[in-house]
Structures are given as C-alpha cells and as structure tokens.
C-alpha cells in the first residue's frame, strides 16, 4: 500500500504514542488495555481529524482554494481542527455549527471548541438541529463563490475516501508499532461517528491482512445504519487505494448501545469513563465521542467480552477541548472535591 501517491500536507505529530494502561487494566481485571494516543496529534489540542485533514487540505491547496468550509455540531472537534489547519496554511475558514443538543448553556455555546474556532480566526454561523447540513454548506459555498472566493468544502467529520486515507495510515502505524515491539494485538476499539476513522482503519487493517478485529462504539446512529455508513465508505476508500473488495460487510462491527439519549448527550457511564481515565491514567477523554467509546470498552471488559491476557488497543480520538463546554456535567465533582 503506497500512500505517498496521494497529496498530503504533513502537520500531525506522528507517530502518536502507543502506551499500556496499567492502572485501568488492573482496575478492570480483564485484558491488557493499551491506548493509541491520537489525542496527541499536536494540532490545537489534537484529535483524529488532523490525520484526515492532512490529505483533505492537500486537495484544497492543489485546487488553489483560498477558503475552506466544513460543518459539525456546536462543540465539533473536526471544525476546530479544520480552523487550526486553515490558520497554519493561511486559508480562510468558515464553519457551520449545527445545534444538535438544544443546550443554552453559555460554556457549551461559547467555550471549548467554539472558543478555539474563533481564536484560530474562523468565522462560524449557527444552524438549528436536524437540517441537511451538507446542503446548507453547499448553499453558503455557492454564495462565497459568487463573491469570487475559491472554496473547498470538507464534509462533516472529514469523512470521505480522501479523509479516510488518514486512518488507513493510522492502521499501518499501529501494526508497525506492534511489530517493532513484538506486541500481539487481539482487538482494537474506537468511537465511531461520521465513519471515516473506522472505515479508514478497517480498510488499512484488511489491506495488510493484519487479522485484528475492530469494534466501533457508536455515538449517534443505530448499529445497522452506522455499520452501513462505515462499510460504504470503506468500500470507496479501498477503491481509491486500488484494492477494491478487501473489506467484507462482516468486517464492519459497530455497537450503538452506549449512545444514550442522543448525540452529544453524555450518559452516566460516559461520565464514569471520563473520570476513570482521568483518575487512573491521567488521560482526558471527552463527553461526546471518546467517553462513550471508553464506556463501551469498560463495559466489554466487565462483561468478559475480552479474555484475560488478551491485548486490546483503545484508539483515543481526542476531543478533550469539549470538556470545557460540558463543565456543568461535572458540577457534582466540583462540589464533592472542593474542601474547606
Ligand atoms: C470525530 C470524532 C470521532 C469520530 O470519528 P469519525 O471519523 O467521525 O467516525 C471520535 N472522537 C472524536 C473526539 C471526534 O472528534
């Protein structure tokens, strides 16, 4: 697999660390848990979108764009990483932020990722929840084009075959780190949303015949829908790479049991996972994605879904900047841990 054939802007801090989580593994008493630190990709507090944007932004530059646009939820990590990447490249950035939670919390609407979007100089506009955001974005892009701007539109989450190349690359990176250190990996677990991360990973894993099963923990769509989205994108990514058909439908496994009331609304087990990672491993998760992914991982361990002695890698996709938009979820900790 020859990824150097595709244009890429090298900006992420790679390879990200692959680390063993001793205290969490001991607490759960099951498999040996490892973490792939894609929260440490380096761009404006890091996260998984940076790997995708390395390939997407190269396309934007190749077409001579002066403006990039993308869309996401109010606390979108993807929007923030796009704003940061655009700043680094000297491109203008406009973000459409969809109100998926209906929250009128000041920190949710202005702190965390939103604060960073604006610090990077991106302009934002809001949309009510439930609209066709891709269509909204195209309409704004057309307006900007009519004004003479050259606009490159990035889909939500950066999830198309170009963006997914970033996670094909991550699959190679994980397996190469494991090979160099003599680590047999039995399973990989990650949060899955707009599907590019899981689609890229499974395409890379299958293309190199790694024999490592991958489970995506859903954050929004029901299982069937999520698996279908991931599978479709994986098929298109494999075609782009010149290995059509390497991913079979049964290779794509998503579990949407940890979504709760909806996208961006944490459950009790999401918050528990965030506390466990923070207090046992000094690692910051987020309330929208990695907290739900980790809640799934923890539940699988407790239910004995992984055997003792197996080695499970949790891909940490980042998102900790969103914590500052969700501080109200942790009001209890604030009260309980403040002492006279
Ligand atoms: C976007 C995102 C995900 C999900 O990745 P997809 O490629 O959209 O499936 C997971 N975790 C975090 C922190 C994210 O920002």
């Amino acid at each position: 697999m020859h990824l150097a054939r595709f244009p890429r802007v090298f900006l992420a801090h790679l390879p990200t660390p692959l680390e063993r989580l001793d205290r969490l593994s001991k607490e759960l008493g099951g498999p040996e848990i490892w973490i792939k630190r894609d929260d440490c990709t380096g761009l404006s507090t890091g996260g998984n979108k940076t790997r995708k944007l390395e390939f997407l932004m190269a396309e934007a530059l190749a077409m001579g764009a002066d403006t990039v646009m993308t869309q996401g939820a109010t606390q979108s990590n993807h929007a923030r990483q796009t704003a940061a990447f655009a700043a680094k490249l000297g491109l203008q950035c406009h973000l459409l932020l969809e109100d998926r939670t209906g929250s009128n919390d000041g920190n949710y609407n202005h702190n965390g990722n939103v604060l960073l979007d604006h610090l990077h100089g991106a302009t934002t506009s809001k949309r009510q929840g439930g609209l066709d955001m891709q269509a909204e974005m195209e309409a704004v892009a057309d307006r900007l084009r009519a004004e003479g701007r050259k606009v490159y539109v990035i889909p939500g989450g950066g999830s198309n075959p170009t963006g997914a190349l970033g996670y094909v690359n991550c699959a190679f990176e994980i397996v190469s780190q494991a090979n160099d250190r003599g680590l047999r990996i039995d399973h990989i677990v990650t949060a899955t949303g707009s599907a590019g991360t899981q689609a890229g990973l499974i395409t890379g894993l299958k293309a190199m015949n790694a024999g490592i099963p991958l489970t995506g923990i859903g954050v929004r769509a029901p299982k069937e829908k999520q698996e279908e989205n991931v599978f479709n994108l994986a098929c298109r990514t494999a075609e782009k790479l010149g290995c059509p058909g390497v991913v079979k439908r049964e290779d794509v496994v998503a579990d949407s049991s940890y979504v709760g009331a909806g996208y961006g609304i944490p459950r009790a087990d999401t918050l528990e996972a965030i506390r466990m990672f923070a207090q046992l491993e000094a690692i910051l998760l987020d309330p929208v994605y990695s907290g739900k992914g980790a809640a799934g991982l923890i539940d699988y361990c407790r239910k004995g879904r992984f055997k003792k002695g197996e080695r499970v890698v949790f891909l940490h996709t980042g998102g900790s900047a969103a914590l500052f938009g969700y501080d109200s979820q942790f009001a209890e900790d604030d009260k309980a841990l403040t002492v006279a």
Side-chain angles (χ1 to χ4, degrees):
M1 197 65 48
H2 191 190
L3 284 177
R5 286 177 296 160
F6 300 97
R8 177 171 169 195
V9 182
F10 287 83
L11 186 61
H13 295 182
L14 303 180
T16 57
L18 178 65
E19 299 168 340
R20 198 174 61 207
L21 300 183
D22 288 332
R23 278 179 30 91
L24 182 69
S25 302
K26 184 154 178 272
E27 173 77 20
L28 292 170
E32 192 177 289
I33 302 170
W34 287 63
I35 193 163
K36 174 67 172 164
R37 298 291 305 271
D38 270 17
D39 57 321
C40 299
T41 51
L43 186 64
S44 184
T45 77
N48 62 338
K49 303 314 180 305
T50 301
R51 287 186 191 267
K52 303 180 185 182
L53 288 164
E54 286 198 320
F55 291 93
L56 292 161
M57 288 299 206
E59 271 190 12
L61 292 181
M63 67 153 268
D66 55 29
T67 304
V68 294
M69 277 193 68
T70 197
Q71 55 96 0
T74 304
Q75 282 294 334
S76 168
N77 302 297
H78 167 64
R80 179 252 308 160
Q81 287 163 84
T82 303
F85 218 129
K88 179 71 178 169
L89 297 179
L91 301 173
Q92 296 185 59
C93 178
H94 184 58
L95 305 168
L96 287 195
L97 301 181
E98 179 188 6
D99 181 12
R100 290 186 200 162
T101 64
S103 165
N104 53 18
D105 183 308
N107 280 336
Y108 180 78
N109 287 294
H110 301 286
N111 204 337
N113 283 302
V114 183
L115 170 75
L116 299 182
D117 295 341
H118 294 147
L119 268 182
H120 291 302
T123 52
T124 58
S125 46
K126 288 201 134 186
R127 290 292 183 276
Q128 69 191 72
L131 295 175
D132 177 347
M133 288 298 285
Q134 200 59 33
E136 291 293 313
M137 195 158 57
E138 291 299 343
V140 178
D142 284 343
R143 276 211 315 272
L144 295 174
R145 286 179 185 124
E147 292 168 14
R149 307 245 297 255
K150 292 207 81 174
V151 184
Y152 180 78
V153 174
I154 299 171
S159 287
N160 62 16
T162 300
L165 293 179
Y167 273 87
V168 173
N169 189 38
C170 181
F172 294 159
E173 194 177 293
I174 293 172
V175 171
S176 138
Q177 284 173 318
N179 288 345
D180 288 347
R181 289 150 75 174
L183 300 172
R184 189 199 68 250
I185 296 174
D186 297 295
H187 213 106
I188 299 176
V189 176
T190 186
T192 181
S194 68
T197 300
Q198 189 176 357
L201 279 177
I202 196 65
T203 306
L205 290 169
K206 292 296 291 187
M208 71 183 126
N209 194 25
I212 304 173
L214 169 67
T215 299
I217 305 292
V219 300
R220 189 177 194 188
K223 175 185 173 71
E224 276 303 314
K225 178 79 189 133
Q226 186 64 22
E227 290 183 347
E228 200 181 301
N229 290 347
V230 172
F231 180 59
N232 288 339
L233 182 52
C235 291
R236 290 163 60 212
T237 306
E239 262 167 48
K240 187 179 177 82
L241 283 163
C243 52
V246 282
V247 179
K248 304 282 177 270
R249 177 62 185 81
E250 62 268 24
D251 300 324
V252 175
V253 178
D255 184 342
S256 297
S257 322
Y258 304 90
V259 176
Y263 174 90
I265 304 173
R267 307 201 307 178
D269 61 350
T270 319
L271 302 178
E272 184 201 15
I274 293 173
R275 291 188 186 99
M276 282 177 78
F277 273 68
Q279 292 170 23
L280 294 168
E281 297 293 347
I283 288 174
L284 298 177
L285 301 177
D286 80 275
V288 182
Y289 295 99
S290 56
K292 287 186 179 173
L297 170 80
I298 290 165
D299 192 45
Y300 278 30
C301 290
R302 286 176 175 156
K303 286 182 171 151
R305 296 276 294 267
F306 303 120
K307 292 189 204 68
K308 222 178 159 71
E310 281 189 332
R311 191 174 283 125
V312 178
V313 174
F314 178 66
L315 171 69
H316 187 344
T317 43
S320 64
L323 284 171
F324 307 102
Y326 279 87
D327 63 309
S328 62
Q329 295 286 336
F330 300 95
E332 264 174 54
D333 308 61
D334 190 45
K335 220 160 70 195
L337 297 172
T338 306
V339 295

